[in-house]
Amino acid sequence: MELDTFSGVDRPALAKWIGDVFTDLLAPLCPASVEELVAVARDYKPSDTTPWGPPGYARLLLSSGEFTLPAWSAALRDLPSFLRVQLVQLDSQGLPLVEDGWTAEVLLKDDPAFPHQVVVTASRSLFGGWISHVVQQDWLSAFRAGATLTRASGGWITLDRVGVRTAHEVAVGVGLDESLFMAAELSRGPHWATLLGPRQVAALGGVQEVTATAPCFAVENLGGGRILLQLTEHLDEVPPDMVRKLAEFMGPVLH
């Protein structure tokens, strides 16, 4: 799940939303033993010599037993305008579990040409190979709330994340900087859930036109010129021909 926004971010409200995402979406995916790993990450401070990132970055290596809203709020309040904070599930050694775990990241940038980003990922294996309809709806609810809170210019939920670039960007050869620079005008690709921002909706004919003609299972007007497209009812049932039809519909706002 990713949300991109060029709007000024209400940091306390964002901290509250991330807290809800952690509690509702990520904490249930933690193994019971994860609370035993709390002490490993507590009082961690990044430095020039740490493997967690350069100065100015903070990785909150928090588990379900350690995450608190005050800790997250303090990070959002006290660190510089260029801010990257990650909540990362820990492995049995107390180190970040990246490939088979979950992570929630906020990247706030002081360059107005590039969007702030909120990215939440979870390995499919954490769901036991099957993501229930209830869980899918929970992620959609969080996505809607985050899109409204951040006044997002775009975003998506997809089953198989390619990396920092979307599958569409990789397929058409669009670089990440170019994609982010144009994120308000051009969508970063068709996905199972695709948020169209105000400029993209306008380019596709406006709210009424998109609502009436988008080839999707569900089309939801979130207000503020934003529309959420849900391609199919179930996340793990996305036929290629439906993705193609959505891409054709979104053609005017795709690279």
Side-chain angles (χ1 to χ4, degrees):
M1 176 169 71
E2 178 165 337
L3 290 164
D4 299 332
T5 177
F6 291 89
S7 300
V9 175
D10 182 338
R11 293 189 176 198
L14 180 61
K16 173 63 168 61
W17 179 80
I18 283 287
D20 293 340
V21 166
F22 176 83
T23 300
D24 297 338
L25 304 184
L26 301 180
L29 302 177
C30 293
S33 61
V34 86
E35 293 186 3
E36 301 173 6
L37 305 175
V38 169
V40 178
R42 183 171 289 127
D43 298 326
Y44 167 77
K45 300 284 193 302
S47 71
D48 291 343
T49 58
T50 66
W52 313 124
Y57 283 56
R59 302 187 76 173
L60 302 183
L61 307 181
L62 306 179
S63 69
S64 60
E66 189 177 15
F67 175 80
T68 65
L69 184 57
W72 182 261
S73 298
L76 290 177
R77 181 182 64 248
D78 296 338
L79 291 174
S81 56
F82 181 74
L83 168 65
R84 182 180 185 180
V85 180
Q86 291 180 317
L87 277 69
V88 184
Q89 184 180 356
L90 304 178
D91 66 13
S92 60
Q93 303 299 314
L95 299 175
L97 184 62
V98 178
E99 294 185 359
D100 296 315
W102 51 253
T103 179
E105 176 180 82
V106 172
L107 179 58
L108 304 181
K109 305 174 183 178
D110 53 9
D111 185 344
F114 290 86
H116 307 307
Q117 295 172 274
V118 180
V119 183
V120 181
T121 64
S123 170
R124 189 172 186 176
S125 62
L126 295 175
F127 300 93
W130 179 70
I131 305 175
S132 72
H133 183 69
V134 171
V135 170
Q136 294 175 36
Q137 292 303 308
D138 288 344
W139 281 70
L140 280 170
S141 295
F143 187 68
R144 293 185 192 97
T148 301
L149 167 67
T150 63
R151 300 191 298 278
S153 59
W156 64 87
I157 298 176
T158 187
L159 182 61
D160 298 308
R161 183 172 172 82
V162 175
V164 293
R165 291 194 297 167
T166 68
H168 172 77
E169 291 163 351
V170 172
V172 300
V174 177
L176 181 61
D177 283 356
E178 178 185 357
S179 180
L180 291 176
F181 183 78
M182 296 296 295
E185 287 78 20
L186 297 179
S187 174
R188 299 185 60 193
H191 297 89
W192 175 71
T194 305
L195 176 70
L196 298 175
R199 297 185 188 180
Q200 298 161 14
V201 170
L204 292 172
V207 171
Q208 291 186 347
E209 177 67 18
V210 173
T211 302
T213 60
C216 296
F217 167 75
V219 181
E220 184 175 356
N221 180 4
L222 300 184
R226 294 172 185 83
I227 290 181
L228 174 59
L229 306 178
Q230 183 181 339
L231 186 56
T232 62
E233 183 175 7
H234 297 290
L235 177 62
D236 53 357
E237 297 177 1
V238 184
D241 65 316
M242 295 195 68
V243 178
R244 177 181 53 80
K245 290 178 181 177
L246 179 57
E248 292 173 353
F249 173 80
M250 294 173 57
V253 295
L254 289 177
H255 285 278

